[in-house]
């Protein structure tokens, strides 16, 4: 299947957020698109917000196994993930630019061809300066 032009996919997204001892679960069924440019895979979808416009999200899967989660909109963010690595990035808000760091505890990605389907699992800790903001678990499954 040619993914260079973009292929529609159904996405199931589960996120578990553990901040200050409070755990929240989020589940989304979304329509998106998968595109392959060179050896890099992009999964795009719009994240629904309780208030306001949906936020465009792109998950970039690089050939070396690193993954980036890129959010557009009012809060611009590019989270970077690499297994057992601490990676710095920035978070742009209407109040200014914040430096944040991810530490990826677990990272898995799988992709099948016929039909196109796959999954991403990321367990990570998020830090602002040296302070741990929370622990996060992200599971994304997609299929054509």
């Amino acid at each position: 299947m040619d993914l260079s032009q973009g292929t529609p996919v159904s996405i199931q997204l589960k996120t578990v957020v553990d901040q200050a001892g409070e755990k929240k679960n989020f589940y989304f069924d979304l329509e998106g698109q998968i595109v392959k440019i060179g050896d890099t895979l992009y999964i795009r979808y719009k994240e629904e917000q309780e208030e306001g416009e949906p936020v465009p999200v792109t998950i970039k899967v690089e050939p070396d196994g690193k993954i980036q989660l890129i959010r557009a909109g009012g809060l611009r963010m590019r989270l970077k993930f690499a297994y057992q690595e601490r990676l710095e990035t920035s978070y742009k808000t209407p109040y200014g630019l914040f430096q944040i760091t991810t530490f990826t505890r677990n990272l898995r990605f799988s992709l099948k061809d016929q039909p196109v389907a796959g999954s991403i699992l990321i367990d990570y800790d998020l830090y602002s300066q040296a302070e741990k903001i929370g622990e996060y678990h992200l599971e994304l499954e997609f299929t054509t």
Side-chain angles (χ1 to χ4, degrees):
M1 179 175 278
D2 180 16
L3 296 177
S4 64
Q5 301 303 310
T7 301
V9 289
S10 295
I11 296 171
Q12 290 77 46
L13 177 63
K14 174 186 174 187
T15 308
V16 180
V17 178
D18 190 346
Q19 291 179 317
E22 186 179 333
K23 197 175 275 199
K24 293 181 182 172
N25 294 295
F26 301 93
Y27 301 93
F28 300 97
D29 283 317
L30 307 160
E31 294 301 315
Q33 189 180 50
I34 186 169
V35 181
K36 189 170 186 181
I37 301 172
D39 290 331
T40 303
L41 198 64
Y42 297 87
I43 301 162
R44 297 192 290 228
Y45 59 91
K46 287 191 170 27
E47 193 174 276
E48 298 296 327
Q49 300 295 306
E50 287 181 20
E51 302 168 8
E53 293 291 309
V55 175
V57 177
T58 301
I59 295 181
K60 179 180 177 184
V61 182
E62 299 175 15
D64 62 4
K66 290 182 178 164
I67 293 177
Q68 292 186 41
L69 188 146
I70 304 154
R71 294 183 63 169
L75 302 176
R76 300 182 74 81
M77 178 171 54
R78 182 183 294 258
L79 295 179
K80 299 175 184 178
F81 306 103
Y83 181 69
Q84 293 289 304
E85 284 188 40
R86 185 179 293 268
L87 297 172
E88 289 189 14
T89 189
S90 58
Y91 184 33
K92 185 180 179 189
T93 74
Y95 308 106
L97 199 61
F98 294 93
Q99 293 301 313
I100 54 177
T101 304
T102 59
F103 175 73
T104 308
R105 291 177 275 119
N106 192 11
L107 180 69
R108 287 202 310 259
F109 171 69
S110 68
L111 179 66
K112 290 189 295 201
D113 264 354
Q114 301 293 334
V116 172
S119 65
I120 295 172
L121 183 144
I122 306 171
D123 290 312
Y124 65 99
D125 298 333
L126 192 62
Y127 295 87
S128 176
Q129 282 117 16
E131 186 178 330
K132 186 174 179 179
I133 297 170
E135 296 178 7
Y136 298 78
H137 171 82
L138 182 145
E139 278 179 59
L140 184 142
E141 295 183 2
F142 59 91
T143 185
T144 51

